[in-house]
Amino acid sequence: MLMTAARILSDMDCPACGGPVTLEVGPDRLPSTSLSDAVLDAAEDERLDVVRMCWDCGWQEERRLRVEAIETTAGAADAIERARLLEEITDELAAIEGLGTLEDTLAEVRRQRRLEPTAEDTNEDVAE
C-alpha cells in the first residue's frame, strides 16, 4: 500500500472510473491518520470529516461523522485515562518555548518518579 505524507490509498476503487481512491480524515488529524485510528481516538461528540478522492477523474465524496456515544466493553479505563493525560502533557510541552522551563519540568518529573513507590515496594505487604 502506497503511503504519502498527505494521503492514504484506501482499498476502494473509484465508482466513476475504477481508479485508486485516497482517504483523508480530519479535521485536526495528521494526513496519514487511518479512519479506524481516528474513530478509536475520537472523543464523545467529536466530529470527523472523511473525504474520499479519485485523482484520476476527480470524483470526490465527503462525509461528516459525529461520535454520539462511546461504550467501552473491554479494556482498562486507567489505560484510556493515561493516554489522554499523556496527550495533554505532550501538547503542553510542545507549547513551551523556553529551554529552561523544559529542563525544570524534566527535573521535576524525575524527582516525582524517584518519590513514587515502585511496584515491588507495593507488593511487599501482600500475604502469600
Side-chain angles (χ1 to χ4, degrees):
M1 178 173 281
L2 175 67
M3 266 179 116
T4 67
R7 289 167 182 78
I8 298 176
L9 288 175
S10 70
D11 293 332
M12 178 188 162
D13 292 331
C14 174
C17 73
V21 174
T22 59
L23 178 73
E24 292 181 3
V25 181
D28 305 325
R29 302 258 189 249
L30 292 173
S32 60
T33 302
S34 70
L35 179 58
S36 59
D37 286 344
V39 169
L40 291 173
D41 291 340
E44 195 167 328
D45 290 327
E46 185 173 347
R47 187 191 86 222
L48 299 173
D49 296 335
V50 180
V51 179
R52 295 188 299 179
M53 291 177 269
C54 176
W55 292 92
D56 290 342
C57 71
W59 174 85
Q60 181 173 322
E61 177 185 59
E62 296 180 32
R63 293 185 179 204
R64 287 206 165 124
L65 308 171
R66 186 174 60 84
V67 178
E68 192 171 294
I70 297 175
E71 290 183 28
T72 304
T73 57
D78 288 344
I80 294 168
E81 179 64 11
R82 182 177 188 276
R84 186 192 66 75
L85 288 171
L86 285 173
E87 183 177 354
E88 189 176 331
I89 290 168
T90 303
D91 290 346
E92 287 292 328
L93 290 174
I96 296 173
E97 294 184 16
L99 183 57
T101 304
L102 287 171
E103 290 170 343
D104 292 346
T105 303
L106 180 58
E108 179 62 19
V109 167
R110 288 179 174 158
R111 187 182 74 76
Q112 289 292 328
R113 286 179 60 197
R114 283 192 304 270
L115 295 176
E116 289 178 359
T118 62
E120 294 170 1
D121 294 342
T122 59
N123 289 334
E124 289 177 2
D125 297 332
V126 176
E128 295 180 23

